[in-house]
Amino acid sequence: MKYRVGVIGGGQLAWMMGAEARRLGMELWVQTPNASDPGVSNADQVVIGAIDDLEATKKLVENCNVVTFENEFVDLAALDTLVKKGARFFPSLAFLAPLLDKYDQRHCCQQLSIPVPDFALWRLGEPLPEGWQFPFVVKARRHGYDGKGTFIVNNIAELQALPETLANTPLLLESFVPFEQELAVMVARNRQGEIRIFPTVETQQIDQVCRWALAPAAVSQAVLNQVENIARTLAEKLNLVGIMGIELFLTPQGQVLVNEIAPRTHNSGHFSLDACQTSQFAMQLQAIADLPLGNTDMMTPAAVMVNLLGFEHSIGNYAHKRQMLSQIPHSHVHWYDKTSASPGRKLGHVTIFSETKRREKLRAIAQQVETIWYEGKSPT
Ligand code: ADP
């Protein structure tokens, strides 16, 4: 019988994982709320259920060799009841525990002597803790993604304009980092403790949403060493089995700080699907199935991954624009087949190989894609 992996979550990450599962001769079972979710079309079996639907997860556990995650909006206490009955989750619940909440993540990094921005707990309406000055960043501790739940606050007017809905949300206050670049790295570890680190990338966020990633990042060896040390330390100390993405800030002084840890595959690793010998999705499957880990070398000197974000409410499939993007030399277009588009929604991505690693050239390629895709419209 084929090795069977269950995945909680059925978005585009599960869709890409499904294609890689097939290549590795595995079966993928997907737990997702809707039959129209992107992950369904590449799944061997679908269990319809919300991400925190324990009965649905039970079905995955009963039918699969291991169960893994494509998003972190899970209920650990509930999943623990399944572990007590023998369920095998990779990564483990103990690994996930400090990573589901942004405050816990910061605290965990601090314990491991990994640099993070200054942070404090806060609630809307409370006075600011002593010594806090503008600008700073307010973040919902849980359930944030694509900048939802993250607010950069420059002055008293912006502080007063924070949405009232945050009043009941546990919040994190964070010093604003005037970063020079944002970086990201994917790291995988299997049950034997074997570790693989993908090339570090530079990411570009606009209005807190990732627009593109340049691989490899044009940074010094000293910076790369800091990034890789952080990745290795987190993977080892937290006992990762699977893959995680780490988003980082590079300060003007050349210091690397952790912004966020995603305990799963991540948008910043999408370039690996076409540009690396092993993709982040194959790597996750290899790690949790206890297979030897593949090689992360790039198969091109450089690559640019550009997200195709929605810029309107529509049910169109943008076939013409996709056709134009596929005509750019050395481009690989991935379309998630979502049933509808809305501003900011991730509808697909394009990866374009480049012979040169020059940052200006890579940025120009990203601009070329955006010009075709957005035609002057904005996703946010
Ligand atoms: P999400 O979890 O929604 O991805 P993040 O916490 O990663 O949100 O923040 C999204 C973006 O907001 C970051 O990529 C960065 O551009 C900006 N940002 C977040 N925190 C800070 C900070 N402390 N200083 C400066 N910019 C920040």
Side-chain angles (χ1 to χ4, degrees), residues 102 106 117 137 139 144-150 152 174-179 182 203 205-209 247 249 259-260 266:
K102 288 185 200 252
R106 293 263 173 275
V137 186
K139 298 184 176 183
Y145 69 98
D146 289 351
K148 294 180 178 54
T150 291
I152 295 172
E174 195 170 279
S175 60
F176 179 84
V177 180
F179 54 77
E182 289 194 74
T203 60
Q205 266 69 223
I206 299 180
D207 295 332
Q208 283 114 66
V209 183
E247 295 178 272
F249 297 130
N259 171 29
E260 190 168 37
H266 189 256

Short mmCIF file of all heavy atoms in Angstrom, two decimals, residues 102 106 117 137 139 144-150 152 174-179 182 203 205-209 247 249 259-260 266, ligand 1:
data_model
loop_
_atom_site.label_atom_id
_atom_site.label_comp_id
_atom_site.label_asym_id
_atom_site.label_seq_id
_atom_site.Cartn_x
_atom_site.Cartn_y
_atom_site.Cartn_z
N LYS A 102 1.90 34.89 18.37
CA LYS A 102 3.08 35.73 18.07
C LYS A 102 3.85 36.10 19.34
O LYS A 102 5.07 36.24 19.30
CB LYS A 102 2.65 36.98 17.32
CG LYS A 102 2.23 36.70 15.87
CD LYS A 102 1.93 37.99 15.12
CE LYS A 102 1.07 37.74 13.91
NZ LYS A 102 1.72 37.86 12.64
N ARG A 106 7.83 35.08 20.08
CA ARG A 106 8.88 36.04 20.48
C ARG A 106 9.59 35.55 21.74
O ARG A 106 10.81 35.61 21.85
CB ARG A 106 8.24 37.41 20.79
CG ARG A 106 7.64 38.08 19.60
CD ARG A 106 8.64 39.07 19.04
NE ARG A 106 8.21 39.66 17.80
CZ ARG A 106 8.39 39.11 16.60
NH1 ARG A 106 8.99 37.95 16.50
NH2 ARG A 106 7.99 39.73 15.52
N PRO A 117 12.56 41.76 17.53
CA PRO A 117 12.28 43.15 17.92
C PRO A 117 11.80 43.19 19.38
O PRO A 117 11.28 42.18 19.88
CB PRO A 117 11.13 43.54 16.97
CG PRO A 117 11.13 42.52 15.88
CD PRO A 117 11.71 41.27 16.43
N VAL A 137 4.45 48.68 16.28
CA VAL A 137 3.56 47.80 15.51
C VAL A 137 2.65 47.07 16.49
O VAL A 137 3.11 46.61 17.54
CB VAL A 137 4.37 46.77 14.68
CG1 VAL A 137 3.45 45.96 13.77
CG2 VAL A 137 5.42 47.48 13.85
N LYS A 139 0.05 43.93 16.86
CA LYS A 139 -0.29 42.69 16.15
C LYS A 139 -1.26 41.84 16.97
O LYS A 139 -1.09 41.73 18.20
CB LYS A 139 0.97 41.84 15.91
CG LYS A 139 2.00 42.51 15.03
CD LYS A 139 3.18 41.60 14.74
CE LYS A 139 4.15 42.28 13.78
NZ LYS A 139 5.27 41.44 13.39
N GLY A 144 -3.39 35.84 12.54
CA GLY A 144 -3.03 36.85 11.54
C GLY A 144 -2.43 36.17 10.32
O GLY A 144 -1.80 35.13 10.44
N TYR A 145 -2.66 36.71 9.15
CA TYR A 145 -1.95 36.26 7.95
C TYR A 145 -2.07 37.36 6.91
O TYR A 145 -3.00 38.16 6.96
CB TYR A 145 -2.50 34.93 7.40
CG TYR A 145 -3.90 35.04 6.82
CD1 TYR A 145 -4.09 35.17 5.45
CD2 TYR A 145 -5.00 35.07 7.65
CE1 TYR A 145 -5.36 35.30 4.92
CE2 TYR A 145 -6.27 35.21 7.13
CZ TYR A 145 -6.44 35.32 5.77
OH TYR A 145 -7.70 35.48 5.26
N ASP A 146 -1.09 37.41 5.99
CA ASP A 146 -1.08 38.41 4.93
C ASP A 146 -1.35 39.81 5.49
O ASP A 146 -2.08 40.61 4.88
CB ASP A 146 -2.13 38.08 3.86
CG ASP A 146 -1.71 36.88 3.03
OD1 ASP A 146 -0.55 36.44 3.18
OD2 ASP A 146 -2.55 36.38 2.26
N GLY A 147 -0.79 40.10 6.64
CA GLY A 147 -0.91 41.45 7.22
C GLY A 147 -2.22 41.71 7.93
O GLY A 147 -2.41 42.76 8.54
N LYS A 148 -3.16 40.74 7.85
CA LYS A 148 -4.43 40.94 8.57
C LYS A 148 -4.11 40.78 10.06
O LYS A 148 -3.55 39.76 10.47
CB LYS A 148 -5.47 39.91 8.12
CG LYS A 148 -5.87 40.10 6.68
CD LYS A 148 -6.90 39.09 6.24
CE LYS A 148 -7.34 39.31 4.81
NZ LYS A 148 -6.25 39.36 3.80
N GLY A 149 -4.43 41.80 10.85
CA GLY A 149 -4.09 41.72 12.27
C GLY A 149 -2.78 42.40 12.60
O GLY A 149 -2.34 42.38 13.74
N THR A 150 -2.11 43.01 11.60
CA THR A 150 -0.86 43.74 11.85
C THR A 150 -1.07 45.21 11.49
O THR A 150 -1.52 45.52 10.39
CB THR A 150 0.28 43.14 11.00
OG1 THR A 150 0.59 41.85 11.51
CG2 THR A 150 1.55 43.99 11.06
N ILE A 152 0.80 49.06 11.63
CA ILE A 152 1.94 49.93 11.92
C ILE A 152 1.37 51.27 12.40
O ILE A 152 0.52 51.87 11.72
CB ILE A 152 2.83 50.08 10.68
CG1 ILE A 152 3.43 48.70 10.36
CG2 ILE A 152 3.94 51.11 10.91
CD1 ILE A 152 4.18 48.59 9.07
N GLU A 174 5.04 45.82 19.38
CA GLU A 174 6.37 45.48 18.90
C GLU A 174 7.08 46.73 18.40
O GLU A 174 6.44 47.57 17.75
CB GLU A 174 6.16 44.50 17.74
CG GLU A 174 7.38 43.78 17.35
CD GLU A 174 6.99 42.67 16.39
OE1 GLU A 174 6.55 41.61 16.83
OE2 GLU A 174 7.12 42.91 15.18
N SER A 175 8.38 46.84 18.66
CA SER A 175 9.07 48.03 18.15
C SER A 175 9.13 47.95 16.63
O SER A 175 9.25 46.87 16.05
CB SER A 175 10.48 48.12 18.74
OG SER A 175 11.21 46.99 18.38
N PHE A 176 9.02 49.10 15.99
CA PHE A 176 9.10 49.16 14.52
C PHE A 176 10.56 49.02 14.13
O PHE A 176 11.42 49.75 14.63
CB PHE A 176 8.53 50.50 14.02
CG PHE A 176 8.61 50.64 12.53
CD1 PHE A 176 7.63 50.10 11.72
CD2 PHE A 176 9.69 51.31 11.94
CE1 PHE A 176 7.72 50.21 10.34
CE2 PHE A 176 9.78 51.41 10.56
CZ PHE A 176 8.78 50.87 9.76
N VAL A 177 10.84 48.08 13.24
CA VAL A 177 12.22 47.86 12.80
C VAL A 177 12.41 48.56 11.45
O VAL A 177 11.76 48.20 10.47
CB VAL A 177 12.51 46.34 12.64
CG1 VAL A 177 13.95 46.12 12.19
CG2 VAL A 177 12.22 45.60 13.93
N PRO A 178 13.29 49.57 11.39
CA PRO A 178 13.52 50.25 10.10
C PRO A 178 14.43 49.39 9.23
O PRO A 178 15.57 49.75 8.97
CB PRO A 178 14.19 51.56 10.52
CG PRO A 178 14.83 51.25 11.83
CD PRO A 178 14.14 50.08 12.47
N PHE A 179 13.91 48.27 8.81
CA PHE A 179 14.76 47.26 8.15
C PHE A 179 15.28 47.73 6.80
O PHE A 179 14.65 48.55 6.13
CB PHE A 179 14.01 45.93 7.99
CG PHE A 179 12.69 46.05 7.29
CD1 PHE A 179 12.61 46.19 5.92
CD2 PHE A 179 11.50 46.03 8.01
CE1 PHE A 179 11.39 46.29 5.28
CE2 PHE A 179 10.27 46.15 7.38
CZ PHE A 179 10.21 46.28 6.01
N GLU A 182 13.77 42.63 3.91
CA GLU A 182 13.14 41.50 4.58
C GLU A 182 13.67 40.24 3.91
O GLU A 182 13.77 40.17 2.68
CB GLU A 182 11.63 41.58 4.47
CG GLU A 182 11.07 42.70 5.32
CD GLU A 182 9.56 42.62 5.50
OE1 GLU A 182 9.09 41.76 6.25
OE2 GLU A 182 8.86 43.44 4.88
N THR A 203 12.42 39.08 0.44
CA THR A 203 11.00 39.22 0.12
C THR A 203 10.63 40.70 0.09
O THR A 203 11.25 41.52 0.76
CB THR A 203 10.10 38.51 1.14
OG1 THR A 203 10.32 39.08 2.44
CG2 THR A 203 10.37 37.02 1.18
N GLN A 205 7.41 43.09 0.77
CA GLN A 205 6.04 43.23 1.25
C GLN A 205 5.54 44.63 0.90
O GLN A 205 6.29 45.59 1.07
CB GLN A 205 5.98 43.07 2.77
CG GLN A 205 5.65 41.68 3.27
CD GLN A 205 6.76 40.68 3.02
OE1 GLN A 205 6.51 39.57 2.62
NE2 GLN A 205 8.00 41.06 3.23
N ILE A 206 4.34 44.71 0.41
CA ILE A 206 3.72 46.03 0.23
C ILE A 206 2.39 45.99 0.97
O ILE A 206 1.62 45.02 0.81
CB ILE A 206 3.52 46.38 -1.27
CG1 ILE A 206 4.90 46.42 -1.96
CG2 ILE A 206 2.79 47.71 -1.43
CD1 ILE A 206 4.86 46.73 -3.45
N ASP A 207 2.13 46.98 1.80
CA ASP A 207 0.95 46.97 2.67
C ASP A 207 0.85 45.64 3.43
O ASP A 207 -0.22 45.05 3.52
CB ASP A 207 -0.33 47.24 1.86
CG ASP A 207 -0.33 48.64 1.28
OD1 ASP A 207 0.30 49.53 1.88
OD2 ASP A 207 -0.92 48.82 0.20
N GLN A 208 1.99 45.19 3.90
CA GLN A 208 2.09 43.98 4.73
C GLN A 208 1.76 42.67 4.01
O GLN A 208 1.55 41.64 4.65
CB GLN A 208 1.22 44.09 5.99
CG GLN A 208 1.85 44.96 7.06
CD GLN A 208 1.06 46.21 7.32
OE1 GLN A 208 -0.05 46.13 7.80
NE2 GLN A 208 1.62 47.33 6.99
N VAL A 209 1.68 42.71 2.68
CA VAL A 209 1.43 41.47 1.93
C VAL A 209 2.62 41.18 1.02
O VAL A 209 3.13 42.09 0.36
CB VAL A 209 0.15 41.59 1.06
CG1 VAL A 209 -0.14 40.28 0.35
CG2 VAL A 209 -1.03 42.00 1.91
N GLU A 247 10.57 34.24 8.69
CA GLU A 247 10.64 35.59 8.09
C GLU A 247 11.53 36.45 8.97
O GLU A 247 11.42 36.40 10.20
CB GLU A 247 9.25 36.21 8.02
CG GLU A 247 8.31 35.48 7.09
CD GLU A 247 6.93 36.12 7.11
OE1 GLU A 247 6.11 35.73 7.95
OE2 GLU A 247 6.69 37.01 6.29
N PHE A 249 14.05 40.24 9.52
CA PHE A 249 14.40 41.62 9.17
C PHE A 249 15.92 41.73 9.17
O PHE A 249 16.57 41.25 10.11
CB PHE A 249 13.87 42.60 10.22
CG PHE A 249 12.37 42.63 10.35
CD1 PHE A 249 11.77 42.53 11.60
CD2 PHE A 249 11.56 42.78 9.23
CE1 PHE A 249 10.39 42.58 11.74
CE2 PHE A 249 10.17 42.83 9.36
CZ PHE A 249 9.59 42.73 10.62
N ASN A 259 11.22 37.91 12.43
CA ASN A 259 9.88 38.53 12.47
C ASN A 259 8.85 37.47 12.80
O ASN A 259 8.10 37.59 13.75
CB ASN A 259 9.54 39.21 11.14
CG ASN A 259 8.08 39.65 11.10
OD1 ASN A 259 7.50 39.95 12.14
ND2 ASN A 259 7.49 39.68 9.93
N GLU A 260 8.83 36.39 12.03
CA GLU A 260 7.76 35.41 12.24
C GLU A 260 8.18 34.02 11.81
O GLU A 260 8.96 33.87 10.86
CB GLU A 260 6.54 35.84 11.42
CG GLU A 260 5.33 35.01 11.76
CD GLU A 260 4.04 35.58 11.20
OE1 GLU A 260 4.08 36.11 10.09
OE2 GLU A 260 3.02 35.47 11.88
N HIS A 266 5.74 27.68 3.13
CA HIS A 266 5.48 29.12 3.19
C HIS A 266 5.63 29.76 1.82
O HIS A 266 6.40 29.28 0.98
CB HIS A 266 6.50 29.73 4.18
CG HIS A 266 6.23 31.16 4.52
ND1 HIS A 266 6.97 32.19 3.99
CD2 HIS A 266 5.31 31.73 5.33
CE1 HIS A 266 6.51 33.33 4.48
NE2 HIS A 266 5.50 33.08 5.30
P1 ADP B 1 1.47 38.37 9.03
O1 ADP B 1 1.52 37.39 10.14
O2 ADP B 1 0.10 38.81 8.69
O3 ADP B 1 2.29 37.93 7.83
P2 ADP B 1 3.66 40.01 9.94
O4 ADP B 1 3.80 40.12 11.40
O5 ADP B 1 4.60 39.07 9.25
O6 ADP B 1 2.15 39.70 9.57
O7 ADP B 1 3.82 41.44 9.29
C1 ADP B 1 3.58 41.69 7.92
C2 ADP B 1 4.56 42.74 7.42
O8 ADP B 1 4.45 43.94 8.21
C3 ADP B 1 6.02 42.35 7.55
O9 ADP B 1 6.43 41.53 6.48
C4 ADP B 1 6.69 43.72 7.53
O10 ADP B 1 6.75 44.25 6.21
C5 ADP B 1 5.72 44.55 8.35
N1 ADP B 1 6.12 44.48 9.79
C6 ADP B 1 5.69 43.59 10.70
N2 ADP B 1 6.29 43.78 11.89
C7 ADP B 1 7.12 44.82 11.74
C8 ADP B 1 8.05 45.49 12.60
N3 ADP B 1 8.19 45.14 13.88
N4 ADP B 1 8.78 46.51 12.07
C9 ADP B 1 8.63 46.89 10.77
N5 ADP B 1 7.77 46.31 9.93
C10 ADP B 1 7.03 45.28 10.38
#
